Amino acid sequence: MPLTIEESLVVEELSIAGYEKVYRIRDQKAGLHAIISLHNTSLGPALGGTRIHPYATFDAALTDALRLAKGMTYKSALAETGFGGGKSVIIADPRKQKTPEMLRAFGRAVHALGGVYICAEDAGSTTADMMTIREETPYVVGLEHESSSGNPSPFTAWGVLRGIQSVLKKVYGSDAIQDRTIAIQGAGSVGARLAGYLFWAGAKLIITDVDRSRAEQVGAQYGARVCSPEEIYSVPCDVFAPCAMGGVLNPSTTSRLQCKAVAGAANNQLLHDSDADELMRRGILYAPDFVINAGGLINVTCELEEQGYRPEAARQKTHQVYDQLMIIYDIAEQNRFSTQAAALALGDYRLKYGIGKRILPPTFHHTFVH
């Protein structure tokens, strides 16, 4: 039975096997059509970004929300944040259809869930959008606010840099980036920042983006070779870094890769978990995406600690992405299965035994008047 929060805002619970709660949210007046997916909250409240994207169908949006929420469960568990896995998607073109009314309606839906889900910036949304959502609910992080952590992309990119160092260490015996060739797929906020970090560390860069002008701008800034989105899969390189949308590692692409490792920021890089087996068969080391890209999550969760946000603490915890990945490589090697299987097994163990479970409730330091 759909829950009518107010005259036009309706929240309908969907029954999805393997998920705690999944909600379809509609507000015709505000032009809102959204999904909030809660996969697992055994370690703490679900925390995950709000993606705004013009999905072709509701089923496509639902599939993305479910995959992303599950990924957040494992990302949180492996980073030991004390939070669970959740994600939300708003079905809209962020450049043409996003409005303050839509965001506030979404905020009211989040508020109605009573804190079981905490939202944040994601693809298609901004820190400014989070400030608009905050007008209706305190359950939001990554704000442009003195008590908040702001844009998480610098921390995500730093964690990916550490992940790239980890694959280099495993493959070459040294984590030095100098003179290594890194192919970056996606020149968005994380991909562009990663390119900067790698440039200053001495890497040779190849970059692409569906927006050619954006790729050329980043390429000119960091002396990178710019190639087409299709060509990026077959360029010879040390590390391929997917930093755009998911599902890019699949049977039609993995066979073309000419790299020693895959280590990037995108969520759900594997179309299927079995694609990790093919990478292993080809001798390509894979840094599981939900481990390597945890820096942004780590950063926003730090603002919910009792003592308040401290960037130094977020930096130190993000720095440890390297160590976490090295553990996963060892587990995979010892058990002779893929790094994806190793990461999932470690996550399942932590979920089963409550390792890293939140003891104190999250503290929202930014003031809120509803």
Side-chain angles (χ1 to χ4, degrees), residues 119-190:
C119 62
E121 176 210 32
D122 200 276
S125 65
T126 66
T127 52
D129 294 336
M130 295 306 110
M131 290 295 285
T132 302
I133 291 170
R134 174 180 164 267
E135 293 174 18
E136 302 293 338
T137 182
Y139 305 124
V140 55
V141 290
L143 302 163
E144 296 172 344
H145 188 280
E146 60 185 13
S147 300
S148 195
S149 60
N151 187 344
S153 61
F155 288 84
T156 303
W158 180 253
V160 175
L161 176 79
R162 293 291 288 152
I164 288 172
Q165 288 182 301
S166 78
V167 295
L168 292 174
K169 177 67 174 178
K170 187 68 177 175
V171 171
Y172 295 110
S174 168
D175 57 21
I177 291 172
Q178 181 75 37
D179 295 327
R180 293 295 178 193
T181 301
I182 317 294
I184 303 174
Q185 181 188 47
S189 58
V190 175

Side-chain angles (χ1 to χ4, degrees), residues 95 186-188 206-220 224-232 235:
R95 293 169 297 181
I206 303 168
I207 196 160
T208 193
D209 195 279
V210 291
D211 182 339
R212 179 81 184 192
S213 62
R214 187 161 59 184
E216 289 177 347
Q217 181 182 359
V218 174
R225 174 191 154 198
V226 177
C227 71
S228 71
E230 194 59 28
E231 186 186 357
I232 196 72
V235 295

